[in-house]
Amino acid sequence: MWQCHKSESGTVTLTSLECRAFQAFLLSNYFITKALVNVRLFYERTGFMTKERIEKELSKVQTQLEALQAKQKDLEEQKRMAERAEKMDIIEKNKISSEKLQLLIKLSEDEILQLLAEKDKKKEMTGNEEKVIS
C-alpha cells in the first residue's frame, strides 16, 4: 500500500514505487495527448470533414445553388423575351395586320380541328374493317 509522507516543511515525499507510478501516469497522459493531437492533425491534413466543416460547406453550396437558380430564372425570362421579339420582327417584316394575324390563328385552329376529325374517321373505318374481317 502506498502512503504519502508529509515532512515538517509541508512537502509530500513519495516512495520510489510511488514515484515510478506517478511517472508512468504522467507519461501515459503525455502519449494520450500527443496521440489526440496527431489524430486531429491527420484529419485536418487529409481533408476529413468535421460536422462544423460539413455544415459550412453545405451552407456554401446552398448559397451557390440559390444564385444559379436565380440566374436560370433570369435566363429563361430573357429567352421568352427574345422569342417574342423574333415573332414581332416577323410580323413587322411581313406587314401582317392584327386582323390578318387573328384570321391566321383562327384558320390554324380550324385546320387542327379538321385534321383531328379526319383522324377519328380513319380510326372508325379501321375499327369497322377489323369487325368485318373477324
Side-chain angles (χ1 to χ4, degrees), residues 56-99:
K56 184 178 176 182
E57 188 69 20
L58 267 174
S59 174
K60 183 179 171 183
V61 168
Q62 287 171 342
T63 303
Q64 291 172 344
L65 182 59
E66 289 169 0
L68 287 173
Q69 287 173 335
K71 185 175 181 178
Q72 177 187 9
K73 195 174 189 180
D74 183 51
L75 288 171
E76 287 172 349
E77 181 61 27
Q78 287 179 22
K79 180 182 173 187
R80 279 192 294 276
M81 290 174 66
E83 289 171 348
R84 288 180 189 148
E86 283 179 358
K87 292 174 186 174
M88 292 301 294
D89 285 345
I90 292 170
I91 291 169
E92 288 176 6
K93 283 180 185 176
N94 294 310
K95 297 180 182 172
I96 302 173
S97 67
S98 62
E99 293 83 21

Side-chain angles (χ1 to χ4, degrees), residues 8-41:
E8 292 175 11
S9 63
T11 60
V12 176
T13 58
L14 302 172
T15 63
S16 63
L17 183 61
E18 291 170 332
C19 282
R20 279 190 246 132
F22 187 66
Q23 287 172 343
F25 169 76
L26 290 176
L27 278 172
S28 67
N29 277 351
Y30 169 77
F31 287 118
I32 289 171
T33 305
K34 188 168 179 134
L36 290 174
V37 169
N38 287 338
V39 167
R40 176 185 285 158
L41 287 174

Side-chain angles (χ1 to χ4, degrees), residues 103-115:
L103 183 61
L104 287 171
I105 293 170
K106 177 74 170 132
L107 287 174
S108 295
E109 289 174 357
D110 290 341
E111 287 175 354
I112 291 170
L113 291 173
Q114 186 179 5
L115 290 171

